[in-house]
Amino acid sequence: MKNRLLEVARTLEALAEEYRPPLEVLGEGRNRIKLTENFGLWEFECKHCQAVKIHPELVRRLQIARDRIGRPIVVTSGYRCPEHNRAVGGASNSQHLYGTAADVKCPGLTVQELYNVLEPLFPDGGVGRYSGHVHVDVRGTKARWTG
C-alpha cells in the first residue's frame, strides 16, 4: 500500500510540474499590480491581448508629471503586441512594441498644456502632439513631432 501511495504521489508531482494553466484560467485582473502611487500595470497592457511590457523609466517620468499636475493622467495606449500595432496603423518600429511608449491624456488639460508638462521630462525621448493625446517614450534619443 505504501509503495502505491508513493507512486501516486510521484505521478501527481510530475503532473503538477507539467501543468501550465491557459491564459484564460488566470482571468481578469492578472495585471492588477501597482507600479507607482498612481499607475498600475493594467493601464499599460495591450488592448488586444492584455500582454504587457513596460519600461520602468517611462512609468517613473509619468508619475513625476502626475505629481506636478495634481490630477489623473490616463494612458490611452501603452504596450501593443505586433498584431494590435498593425491593426491601429502603428509604425513598424513603434516604441509601443517595446513597452517604452505611452499615449496619454489628462481630463481638464488641453493637449498643449499636457505637452508643456511632459516635454521637459523626456529630454532623451520622444514627445508627440496629436489631436486628442500626447505620445511619450524613452527611446534614448530626443524626438519631437506633431501628428
Side-chain angles (χ1 to χ4, degrees):
M1 180 69 169
K2 184 177 179 181
N3 286 340
R4 179 71 180 129
L5 288 174
L6 286 172
E7 183 181 321
V8 169
R10 284 189 200 107
T11 301
L12 288 173
E13 185 177 0
L15 287 172
E17 286 179 16
E18 292 175 13
Y19 180 70
R20 298 289 180 263
L23 212 47
E24 58 270 14
V25 172
L26 297 174
E28 291 292 319
R30 67 183 174 278
N31 290 329
R32 299 300 287 185
I33 298 168
K34 199 100 155 123
L35 299 173
T36 67
E37 172 84 20
N38 300 105
F39 289 100
L41 186 61
W42 65 92
E43 296 176 83
F44 296 91
E45 70 185 16
C46 178
K47 306 289 189 245
H48 169 257
C49 64
Q50 289 70 52
V52 65
K53 293 179 185 177
I54 188 68
H55 195 291
E57 184 61 17
L58 176 66
V59 182
R60 189 186 74 77
R61 294 180 193 189
L62 286 172
Q63 183 62 52
I64 291 169
R66 167 65 171 84
D67 293 343
R68 288 182 183 173
I69 295 168
R71 55 178 65 200
I73 291 177
V74 178
V75 177
T76 60
S77 184
Y79 171 70
R80 295 181 194 153
C81 70
E83 185 177 345
H84 183 59
N85 192 59
R86 280 190 299 277
V88 300
S92 60
N93 64 341
S94 170
Q95 294 295 307
H96 290 277
L97 293 164
Y98 309 108
T100 55
D103 296 338
V104 296
K105 62 183 182 177
C106 181
L109 291 185
T110 67
V111 169
Q112 185 61 51
E113 290 169 329
L114 182 57
Y115 178 91
N116 292 344
V117 172
L118 293 168
E119 197 278 335
L121 293 173
F122 291 85
D124 58 347
V127 185
R129 269 181 296 229
Y130 292 86
S131 61
H133 69 274
V134 177
H135 167 101
V136 291
D137 67 59
V138 290
R139 68 180 66 196
T141 56
K142 184 175 182 175
R144 300 294 182 266
W145 67 92
T146 300

